[in-house]
């Protein structure tokens, strides 16, 4: 029986054996299908492509459009096909993916399949759906692809970052700023440790709670703006329908009636002159907010200006929505046919325009009533019917904003106190000052939506995510702290602890995750082995941490990936330990090399890989590093060490019992090996090598030889200060 069995599924959260990005890795057993590549299953390629014609975009290893289809036609195996189908299902569901690989394990019929997955649950669902779809195509059975995609899209909508948050995270990634998703929602950390900032959609950790409260009170906002000379429409809060009409008479019709604390235009009725319309609008507004405001109607189009850090970075204009009668169709039918069929309208955030649903929008019914119509009325042929006056703010006008209008918008944001604000203003011509045309700012909003600027109706997207990232991280800032990653099996925990000690002597608040536990500023806060992804993330999320030292074993890299995206220093001690990795289909030192090279692959261009020259396979990793390489070894005559020195590189070695730091021909004797406590650590058979590795990492971090000597001389590998020892110094907190 032809089948594809999924044996194991793991989500690799960080850089891993496959790539820098999180991936879903599955071990699959294709059984007897090992003898049936795609070209040996009649009709299979045709059925698969009929269901998923967009597979033509997959370049595969051929490197050109249609590359995967060529492989499918020539003959490729089900594991490879599963990879591509899982990727495409993610793309069709709205979670973009591109990377994927399938590799044999050495066991007949068993493959490892890995593909990019932005969300683990979505990735797992796409893998399961891909298996069912591929098997159905092989057997010639029907498959309900629309239903599958509907379910997957619902998962993406509920589990993945929203488009506003995602555009900020993607912009941060473009600048090399790392990110950590802190909740299942849209709370995201940008940067590590003490350098981090936080965003929640278009709100940041600079967004004042007071300012947000002020902005939600429309009447208070208007009062503050007016007191500072910002043009706003006159108006007041009203208590009931009669009071609404009294206010309209005092202000002078036409007027606007709206909730004081609603948003997205809900419950807003504009250009009202008749008493019955004002009183009806009061009821509409009251259902949407806690208080109702009546204010002067400002002629013109509604505009939304996005202010980020005292600068207008995007602007969009709204347009009224009309339908034209045909003498046969009701208003509801005309709306559905002429407006809601627009592909730009939809219920999710992926669409720049919302569908118009009369039952859910009382303001639309009120607008129709003002024209003597009901939802089931049949307008005459060619009769224009106004359906919606406000909303549809999705037409980009960023390049048309007059400098005085931009100045008024940024002033409004500052008055309220928002670092990021959506300024709603009404003007007939955004390219002219507000005063002469009697334009006005009508609302200031916290946490503004970005979709109208990301997917404007009539122009390319505006880089609003980049504007927010640049606001949080000026060009000179990367959001990074020094991260030291240590991989291998030989003495990695003690290396990590000594490097952490040296950084502490340099005045840094250090987070350390290693096999001996989790440490924060010289104190062990968790005695459980912590050389894992979760502990590393705890360190990087801590807002006090100024430098991080994280131990990584091959098992952890294979099971979860690295806890960080890039590091300043990456240490690799050895490529031994293949016996412990047999459960991952890793049996040879060369395979261990392929796992541990991940630590070198992620070294920043301005960083350093610290490599053990005594291990030839470790030494071979040097060309993989984007930054500098520093070798260490017990013998100064090691070939890799000698060649590196000849090229002016930095090395650390032992000679005649002395620890020597060298750069090219320049040498600095750090001290006698016997003078350093670590050299006498009976628990470590590689104590001398561990000391050299830690010294090399310290040199890579820019620490002075004097500090390194003092730190290595005072480091006690047996000393542990636990959390229950009580508070110490200026850092009593542990998380």
């Amino acid at each position: 029986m032809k089948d594809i069995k999924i044996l194991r599924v793991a989500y690799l959260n960080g850089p891993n054996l496959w790539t820098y990005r999180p991936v879903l890795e599955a071990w699959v057993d294709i059984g007897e299908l090992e003898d049936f590549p795609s070209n040996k299953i009649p009709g299979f390629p045709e059925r698969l492509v009929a269901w998923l014609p967009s597979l033509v975009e997959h370049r595969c290893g051929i490197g050109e459009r249609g590359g995967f289809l060529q492989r499918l036609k020539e003959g490729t195996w089900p594991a490879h096909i599963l990879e591509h189908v899982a990727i495409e299902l993610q793309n069709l569901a709205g979670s973009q993916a591109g990377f994927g690989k399938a590799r044999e394990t050495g066991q007949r019929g068993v493959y490892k399949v890995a593909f990019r997955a932005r969300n683990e649950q979505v990735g797992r669902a796409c893998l399961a759906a891909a298996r069912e779809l591929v098997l159905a195509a092989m057997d010639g059975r029907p498959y309900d692809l629309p239903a599958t995609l509907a379910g997957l899209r619902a998962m993406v909508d509920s589990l993945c970052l929203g488009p506003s948050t995602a555009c900020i995270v993607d912009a941060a990634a473009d600048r090399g700023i790392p990110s950590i998703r802190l909740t299942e929602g849209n709370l995201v950390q940008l940067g590590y440790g003490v350098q981090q900032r936080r965003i929640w959609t278009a709100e940041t950790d600079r967004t004042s709670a007071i300012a947000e409260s002020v902005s939600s009170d429309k009447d208070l906002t208007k009062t503050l703006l007016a007191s500072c000379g910002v043009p706003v429409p006159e108006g007041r809060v009203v208590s009931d329908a009669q009071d609404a009409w009294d206010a309209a008479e005092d202000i002078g019709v036409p007027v606007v009636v709206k909730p004081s604390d609603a948003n997205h235009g809900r419950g807003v009725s504009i250009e009202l002159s008749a008493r019955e319309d004002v009183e009806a609008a009061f009821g509409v507004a009251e259902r949407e907010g806690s208080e109702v405001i009546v204010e002067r109607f400002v002629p013109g189009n509604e505009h939304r200006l996005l202010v980020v850090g005292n600068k207008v970075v995007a602007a969009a204009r709204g347009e009224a929505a009309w339908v034209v009668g045909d003498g046969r169709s009701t208003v509801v039918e005309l709306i559905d046919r002429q407006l809601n069929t627009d592909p730009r309208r939809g219920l999710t955030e992926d669409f720049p325009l919302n569908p118009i649903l009369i039952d859910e929008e009382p303001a639309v019914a009120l607008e129709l009533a003002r024209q003597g119509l009901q939802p089931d009325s049949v307008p005459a042929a060619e009769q224009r019917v106004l359906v919606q006056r406000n909303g549809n703010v999705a037409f980009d006008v960023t390049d048309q904003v007059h400098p005085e209008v931009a100045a008024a918008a940024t002033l409004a944001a500052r008055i309220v106190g928002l670092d990021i604000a959506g300024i709603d203003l009404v003007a007939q011509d955004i390219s002219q000052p507000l005063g002469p045309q009697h334009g006005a700012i009508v609302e200031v909003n916290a946490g503004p939506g970005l979709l109208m600027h990301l997917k404007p109706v009539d122009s390319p997207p505006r880089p609003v995510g980049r504007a927010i990232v640049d606001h949080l991280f000026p060009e000179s800032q990367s959001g990074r702290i020094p991260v030291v990653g240590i991989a291998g099996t030989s003495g990695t925990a003690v290396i990590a602890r000594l490097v952490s000690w040296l950084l502490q002597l340099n005045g840094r608040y250090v987070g350390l995750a290693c096999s001996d536990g989790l440490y924060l500023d010289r104190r062990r806060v968790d005695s459980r082995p912590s050389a894992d992804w979760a502990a590393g993330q705890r360190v990087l999320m801590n807002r006090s941490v100024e430098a991080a030292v994280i131990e990584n074993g091959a098992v952890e890299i294979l099971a979860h990936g690295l806890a960080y995206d890039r590091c300043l220093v990456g240490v690799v001690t050895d490529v031994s330990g293949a016996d412990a990795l047999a459960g991952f289909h890793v049996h040879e030192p060369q395979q261990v090399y392929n796992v541990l090279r991940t630590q070198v692959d992620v070294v920043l261009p301005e960083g350093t890989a610290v490599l053990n020259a005594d291990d030839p396979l470790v030494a071979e990793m040097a060309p993989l590093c984007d930054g500098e390489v520093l070798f260490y070894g017990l013998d100064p005559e090691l070939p890799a060490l000698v060649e590196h020195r000849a090229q002016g590189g930095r090395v650390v070695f032992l000679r005649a019992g002395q620890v020597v730091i060298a750069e090219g021909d320049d040498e600095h004797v750090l001290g006698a090996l016997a003078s350093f406590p670590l050299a006498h650590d009976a628990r470590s058979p590689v104590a001398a090598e561990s000391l050299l590795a830690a010294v090399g990492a310290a040199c890579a971090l820019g620490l002075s030889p004097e500090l390194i000597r003092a730190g290595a001389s005072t480091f006690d590998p047996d000393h542990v200060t636990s959390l229950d020892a009580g508070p110490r110094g200026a850092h009593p907190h542990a998380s």
Side-chain angles (χ1 to χ4, degrees):
M1 178 181 176
K2 296 182 178 65
D3 194 10
I4 300 172
K5 296 179 181 179
I6 298 176
L7 306 177
R8 175 183 182 273
V9 180
Y11 189 63
L12 308 185
N13 293 276
N16 50 74
L17 175 68
W18 304 96
T19 182
Y20 291 106
R21 304 283 188 174
V23 298
L24 196 80
E25 179 187 273
W27 299 2
V28 301
D29 184 352
I30 64 173
E32 65 181 78
L33 286 172
E34 182 71 22
D35 297 321
F36 292 91
S38 53
N39 61 338
K40 291 188 177 181
I41 304 176
F44 167 57
E46 293 77 14
R47 288 189 290 270
L48 183 64
V49 175
W51 280 334
L52 296 173
S54 49
L55 285 171
V56 70
E57 302 297 336
H58 291 220
R59 294 172 173 266
C60 200
I62 295 175
E64 60 185 38
R65 186 174 185 267
F68 172 67
L69 298 190
Q70 182 177 333
R71 295 284 302 278
L72 195 65
K73 182 179 179 181
E74 294 171 350
T76 190
W77 277 261
H80 180 215
I81 299 167
L82 189 71
E83 164 216 325
H84 280 271
V85 172
I87 290 171
E88 190 54 29
L89 289 177
Q90 286 189 96
N91 290 335
L92 293 172
S95 181
Q96 293 304 304
F99 171 85
K101 287 186 181 297
R103 295 289 183 267
E104 296 177 82
T105 63
Q107 179 179 345
R108 176 177 167 80
V110 177
Y111 292 74
K112 288 184 180 181
V113 175
F115 56 87
R116 176 80 166 99
R118 295 174 182 267
N119 178 274
E120 178 179 0
Q121 292 171 261
V122 172
R124 287 176 177 269
C126 287
L127 174 67
R131 173 185 175 273
E132 294 298 324
L133 189 152
V134 169
L135 289 174
M138 286 179 175
D139 297 339
R141 293 184 281 107
Y143 184 81
D144 192 347
L145 182 60
T148 296
L149 290 178
L152 293 175
R153 287 179 182 129
M155 289 187 70
V156 170
D157 288 343
S158 64
L159 298 173
C160 294
L161 292 175
S164 294
T165 307
C167 85
I168 302 171
V169 172
D170 290 343
D174 289 342
R175 274 195 50 189
I177 297 169
S179 63
I180 298 174
R181 189 175 183 181
L182 299 177
T183 68
E184 293 183 357
N186 287 303
L187 179 61
V188 177
Q189 171 183 321
L190 302 179
Y192 290 151
V194 72
Q195 297 296 330
Q196 70 178 267
R197 307 305 304 271
R198 291 176 183 170
I199 61 168
W200 197 328
T201 312
E203 294 182 75
T204 78
D205 50 14
R206 288 183 180 174
T207 302
S208 160
I210 293 176
E212 186 173 357
S213 296
V214 169
S215 70
S216 67
D217 187 330
K218 308 306 181 187
D219 192 47
L220 174 58
T221 298
K222 283 175 52 183
T223 299
L224 292 175
L225 296 185
S227 69
C228 296
V230 175
V232 296
E234 302 84 358
R236 65 176 176 86
V237 174
V238 296
S239 58
D240 53 34
Q242 174 62 50
D243 193 25
W245 176 244
D246 292 343
E249 288 189 305
D250 292 340
I251 296 167
V253 294
V255 295
V256 173
V257 179
K258 66 181 184 181
S260 66
D261 56 359
N263 52 27
H264 300 295
R266 288 191 290 265
V268 178
S269 302
I270 65 176
E271 200 175 1
L272 308 176
S273 298
R275 176 172 184 165
E276 59 271 22
D277 291 339
V278 172
E279 292 178 345
F282 176 88
V284 171
E286 189 178 36
R287 288 193 289 272
E288 295 288 346
S290 59
E291 291 183 316
V292 177
I293 294 176
V294 175
E295 63 186 22
R296 173 176 62 87
F297 169 71
V298 180
N301 289 318
E302 182 182 356
H303 296 78
R304 165 60 68 88
L305 276 61
L306 178 65
V307 174
V308 177
N310 202 32
K311 181 181 179 182
V312 172
V313 300
R317 185 189 70 242
E319 291 188 357
W322 298 78
V323 293
V324 178
D326 59 9
R328 302 184 306 276
S329 306
T330 66
V331 172
V332 170
E333 292 170 339
L334 293 171
I335 291 173
D336 287 339
R337 186 182 310 132
Q338 298 179 16
L339 296 176
N340 289 340
T341 54
D342 187 332
R344 300 169 299 184
R345 293 186 182 273
L347 293 172
T348 70
E349 286 189 328
D350 292 328
F351 298 92
L353 300 176
N354 294 322
I356 298 175
L357 307 173
I358 292 181
D359 292 342
E360 299 178 14
E361 300 182 46
V364 174
L366 179 60
E367 192 65 59
L368 294 175
R370 294 170 61 197
Q371 301 169 76
L373 298 171
Q374 298 295 326
D376 57 356
S377 299
V378 178
E382 304 304 319
Q383 179 183 350
R384 281 171 54 83
V385 177
L386 178 60
V387 174
Q388 193 176 57
R389 290 175 182 260
N390 60 309
N392 302 303
V393 183
F395 297 85
D396 184 76
V397 292
T398 305
D399 296 332
Q400 302 173 31
V401 178
H402 191 278
E404 290 187 22
V405 175
T410 56
L411 176 58
R414 290 200 305 277
I415 291 168
V416 173
L418 292 170
D419 64 322
I420 300 177
I423 308 297
D424 290 343
L425 65 82
V426 178
Q428 298 180 62
D429 186 353
I430 197 72
S431 67
Q432 299 299 319
L434 295 178
Q437 59 180 315
H438 304 291
I441 290 177
V442 295
E443 288 185 11
V444 177
N445 300 282
L450 304 180
L451 191 64
M452 64 188 70
H453 309 300
L454 296 172
K455 292 188 175 182
V457 170
D458 57 346
S459 64
R462 290 287 171 175
V464 293
R466 179 60 184 260
I468 292 173
V469 171
D470 290 347
H471 161 63
L472 294 174
F473 298 93
E475 207 59 46
S476 60
Q477 299 178 14
S478 66
R480 295 188 178 275
I481 59 174
V483 174
V484 180
I486 302 165
T489 60
S490 299
T492 48
V494 73
I495 295 169
R497 289 182 57 202
L498 177 49
V499 172
S500 175
W501 171 250
L502 295 172
L503 281 167
Q504 289 162 10
L505 293 182
N506 193 45
R508 304 292 185 99
Y509 185 108
V510 182
L512 166 64
C514 67
S515 300
D516 289 342
L518 179 67
Y519 296 75
L520 294 173
D521 191 36
R522 310 188 190 189
R523 183 176 305 149
R524 187 165 67 181
V525 299
D526 193 334
S527 61
R528 293 172 296 180
S530 298
D532 56 50
W533 181 87
Q537 288 273 291
R538 286 179 64 185
V539 167
L540 298 173
M541 288 163 55
N542 189 300
R543 303 194 83 155
S544 295
V545 169
E546 297 172 326
V549 181
I550 299 174
E551 178 190 357
N552 307 288
V555 169
E556 189 61 24
I557 295 174
L558 285 165
H560 299 105
L562 297 176
Y564 43 87
D565 67 325
R566 304 298 295 266
C567 64
L568 188 62
V569 177
V571 181
V572 181
T573 61
D574 63 294
V575 293
S576 59
D579 292 345
L581 304 176
F584 292 91
H585 296 283
V586 173
H587 306 284
E588 304 294 334
Q590 184 62 49
Q591 293 175 298
V592 182
Y593 166 95
N594 290 333
V595 176
L596 294 184
R597 63 164 286 180
T598 305
Q599 179 62 82
V600 177
D601 288 334
V602 299
V603 172
L604 290 160
E606 63 271 25
T608 305
V610 178
L611 305 177
N612 185 359
D614 278 305
D615 189 318
L617 281 177
V618 173
E620 284 183 17
M621 295 180 186
L624 304 174
C625 182
D626 290 338
E628 183 190 356
V629 172
L630 186 155
F631 281 114
Y632 70 91
L634 298 175
D635 183 354
E637 300 305 318
L638 288 166
L641 214 153
V642 171
E643 181 181 353
H644 195 59
R645 282 195 71 180
Q647 296 173 356
R650 291 193 289 174
V651 297
V652 179
F653 57 86
L654 280 180
R655 186 172 58 205
Q658 300 287 321
V659 177
V660 181
I661 301 171
E663 183 172 1
D665 294 331
D666 296 332
E667 293 187 357
H668 184 99
V669 177
L670 195 68
L673 176 65
S675 67
F676 301 115
L678 179 57
H680 307 292
D681 185 2
R683 298 171 303 170
S684 175
V686 290
E689 285 188 357
S690 298
L691 175 66
L692 297 181
V695 169
C699 291
L701 289 164
L703 304 186
S704 69
E706 292 75 19
L707 186 146
I708 297 172
R709 181 189 301 112
S713 299
T714 56
F715 174 70
D716 181 357
D718 295 319
H719 178 71
V720 173
T721 302
S722 297
L723 181 61
D724 55 14
R728 184 199 67 80
H731 302 295
H733 49 286
S735 62

